[in-house]
Amino acid sequence: MTKGTFEVGDKTFLLNGKAFAVKAAELHYPRIPKEYWEHRIQTAKALGMNTICLYVFWNYHEPEEGKYDFSGQKDIAAFCKLAQKHDMYVIVRPGPYVCAEWEMGGLPWWLLKKKEIKLREQDPYFMERTRLFMNEVGKQLADLQITKGGNIIMVQVENEYGAFGTDKPYIAEIRDIVKGAGFTDIPLFQCDWNSNFENNVLDDLVWTINFGTGANIDGQFRRLQELRPNTPLMCSEFWSGWFDHWGAKHETRSAEALVSGMKEMLDRNISFSLYMTHGGTSFGHWGGANFPNFSPTCTSYDYDAPIGESGNITPKYYEVRNLLKNYLPEGATLPEIPDSIPTIAIPAFELTEIAPLFDNLPDAKESETVKPMEFFDQGWGSILYRTKLEMSREEQTLIITEAHDWTQVFLDGEKIATLSRLKGEGSVKLPPVKEGAQLDILVEAMGRMNFGKGIYDWKGITEKVEIQNKNTTRELKNWQVYNIPVDYEFTKGKRYKEYKKGENTAKQPAYYRGTFMLNKLGDTFINMMNWSKGMVWVNGYSIGRYWEIGPQQTLYMPGCWLKEGENEIIILDMASPSRPETEGLRKPVLDILRGNGAYAHRKLGENLNLTGETPVYTGAFKPDHGWQHIQFGKTVDTRFFCLEALSSHGGDGYAAIAELELSGEDGKPVSRQHWKVVYADSEELDDANNVASNVFDLQESTFWHTNYSKTDSKHPHQIIIDLGEDKKITGFSYLPRAEANKPGMIKDFNVYIKMTPFKLK
């Protein structure tokens, strides 16, 4: 193979000594069946890209401590070589943390078996395991650097660390670990947002900025250019769309804004990576959850990207391709777009066998107290806690602190409650019980949080279970614990029996098994509209989680995992289907919500009453898209924070906020880990996912926006945040939405602060 060079030049990157603008397509190899890797790479090349950008997912390659797997679907070197076959370069982002809406941000769950571990810090154990893993990555990829005849041109150090903390010594040690793994011949870089990149920058790394469509590109790079006027500019994540959360509206972003931003960067020789160019699917249990406020992400990682979830060509793809064809090397033309993978419909069929979960439990483990599943050596799935109750002739309250993430409570085999972490539910009223009544608490773990401090996300019951009556509160002890993992070997080995019509009217969790016949193959989308919540396996492949609340109502089934003749499907349904029947559709259903109010922050008819309240501060924001910092001139004890928008700079009746931070006595932002929105007078939940909790989701490209309807577009608008703990604050910071010339930029405002809740009537 021909050896080459990739270097940092004067205001440009240099490929073999010549100016080169990186046009990277972000693709994630675990989210694409290996059989389709080449198809997706070719489709990205036909779009006009010259590079593939990818994360390396630590927990994917080391699911158990010390057991590494880079074979088959996990053969990352083979993926890079396929890119080289099609004359595509590669940018590698090996973490150790990657975010990516992926389980625990890519960190292995078994790190949490050490209760006091410090993640993404210079914790000796964390750093030791990081070094060992990075060395394994080096064995796979270091010889594929461009200087050795490969196609890897850049490697990233950590990922968006400014959103997590400020710790240059940690970043420096990760840099040294990356170099020690053999990545010494090409530029190393770090990425962050323009508002926080200075917190952790190292002199010997390339600095890049992440932002989304509609952003002011001059503003995004202004500070970087002041510090490094001769550096090549790169947007290392230009967000083409966004990811979906269970229970929230399907996310889309404008193709027009995407193309406009890309054109501006190309005309100014600014390199970029389009995140995502093709999102794919978080198969199995790999979908993560956002933070703050636990918000699990859907199985589909369609991302409203130019290449759809199944590799299909979208209208956005054609818009981008029409732009990029004008920025090819002299004499070059775009290759033909590869044919899409054929899709098939599968007629409706029944799952004819059932294996009730409670009839198929594994051996129990004894434990005096409840503990998270990690301390029972379990990474994913569900966990059942069982104990006996003392007799009580009175109603009592069961208090669970805290159950992660979706919990069903059974008394003598009868379900009495369902609790959702999304809604902050944690208590159940118990009826009078006889001596020795059996209490079962079944907790399903969804994805671990993949952002911020939420990566410390133990699953199962994380603290304790208590019984409260009129006079006492006591902790329940002496538990039997049953681990229910998600691997196919565990799933198939159940005692299945024939399903009889009308069975399981008690809505108990159960495995359902069936078969369907095919005489031709193709991609399809398994329709889950009859089912409640759970996971699906087809021919031994776990194709992902489903949940009736939506917005995703189908699961992508790659045709390469199907076979002519008989195919097996197993569905674990946690609360029973309306009927045990499904079908294969030719198109996905990603945008139907059903009966969930977890994301609304105002009850019907509820109004805020500020009569008699005195603002702690009254002021006006500037018409500027950057962070604005307000100081009260005094320290204020705070539990509840209310921002009231009185007017907007555009004269419209809307209010919008991308991010809010509160300043502590030391002038630094206070933790937002326990924040909750308790009231927003208005928020857009139908035409867009502009929910109020976006103001502290640590994502500068998402925002709260009041409802778009004209009837709701009148000032004042209020948002109230419960900090979850008492704080002393001296001011706050406000970040408007990133897009220029958009409504909702707040002008005049009041701030109210209380130690007790505001009056809602």
Side-chain angles (χ1 to χ4, degrees), residues 53 86 155 218 275 289 406 435 496 511 572 620 703 711:
C53 192
H86 294 283
V155 174
D218 267 336
Y275 190 105
W406 195 77
E435 182 69 25
Y496 287 91
Y511 297 90
L572 170 59
F703 51 90
T711 57

Side-chain angles (χ1 to χ4, degrees), residues 27 29 32 37 41 52 54 75-83:
L27 308 178
Y29 57 97
I32 307 165
W37 282 354
I41 291 168
I52 301 295
L54 58 89
D75 190 346
I76 189 171
F79 184 87
C80 293
K81 290 172 183 175
L82 274 177

Side-chain angles (χ1 to χ4, degrees), residues 33 36 341-342 344 518 521-524 556-563:
Y36 292 166
I341 309 295
I344 60 170
L518 294 177
L521 302 182
D523 288 353
T524 194
Y556 171 50
M557 182 64 228
C560 57
W561 293 348
L562 295 170
K563 53 190 178 183

